[in-house]
Amino acid sequence: MIKDIKIFFEDIFLDIKNKLFSSKYVLKGKCKKCGYCCKNILFSTKEGYVKDRALFEKMQKKYKCYRHFRISGIIKDEAHFRDGALTFECKFLSKNNKCLIYPIRPIYCRDYPNIMPELIYGGLKPLKECGYYFDINKKFSEYLE
């Protein structure tokens, strides 16, 4: 019961945060429940994307939230800055792509896809398989009126 209340307030907090701090963009669409976002995760540090297993193991020791994930692959795209980045998948994704801990899933998962204007300006988009997309909340002409 207490966990349900906590989850309820976390969801409200995230919704308010997204509305207050990302007024230029809105999230549209809906989840396709395919689990693709749970299998194709990138983590980054100040230096860039995590490209080293030893670094990820240090992150797991220092921060418990990274213990929910395992390395699933590596990006091979020499023409892109993500080349060599490790990809991660959630340990709690079932074989039928359902979250085994959905009611108590981490904040990282609850907040996906996060509307962060600075990342959107840099070209970040939800995964192409995702049912979500970002749209402009207000057209420039509307600001002029």
Side-chain angles (χ1 to χ4, degrees):
M1 179 69 164
I2 293 175
K3 285 183 182 180
D4 291 336
I5 294 170
K6 180 181 176 220
I7 290 167
F8 173 77
F9 283 112
E10 283 178 352
D11 287 342
I12 289 174
F13 170 76
L14 288 172
D15 188 47
I16 291 170
K17 181 192 88 159
N18 284 338
K19 286 179 180 164
L20 287 176
F21 296 107
S22 59
S23 60
K24 181 165 174 144
Y25 294 96
V26 290
L27 183 63
K28 292 189 176 179
K30 65 179 188 173
C31 180
K32 293 180 178 178
K33 300 186 184 338
C34 65
Y36 194 79
C37 60
C38 306
K39 298 177 191 172
N40 295 279
I41 301 165
L42 294 173
F43 291 123
S44 62
T45 65
K46 292 176 190 173
E47 290 77 36
Y49 288 110
V50 175
K51 297 182 177 184
D52 181 51
R53 180 181 294 272
L55 172 59
F56 180 62
E57 289 170 358
K58 285 180 188 175
M59 292 166 64
Q60 287 181 307
K61 287 179 185 172
K62 188 171 183 179
Y63 304 103
K64 289 181 183 180
C65 61
Y66 292 110
R67 296 178 193 162
H68 294 130
F69 305 95
R70 65 177 152 255
I71 298 171
S72 60
I74 186 167
I75 294 178
K76 304 250 190 238
D77 184 2
E78 293 177 17
H80 202 275
F81 66 94
R82 292 183 300 196
D83 184 49
L86 297 174
T87 58
F88 301 90
E89 65 184 6
C90 180
K91 292 179 180 179
F92 298 105
L93 189 65
S94 71
K95 291 187 190 290
N96 65 352
N97 293 323
K98 301 295 180 206
C99 180
L100 298 173
I101 60 166
Y102 189 82
I104 57 168
R105 68 194 184 282
I107 195 83
Y108 174 89
C109 303
R110 289 178 187 285
D111 205 20
Y112 179 84
N114 188 359
I115 299 176
M116 295 178 65
E118 62 275 8
L119 295 177
I120 296 170
Y121 296 145
L124 182 73
K125 299 175 189 170
L127 295 162
K128 62 183 171 189
E129 294 79 0
C130 186
Y132 289 114
Y133 64 96
F134 299 127
D135 199 6
I136 295 175
N137 190 20
K138 228 176 175 183
K139 305 276 187 267
F140 184 70
S141 59
E142 292 175 20
Y143 282 105
L144 296 174
E145 292 176 354

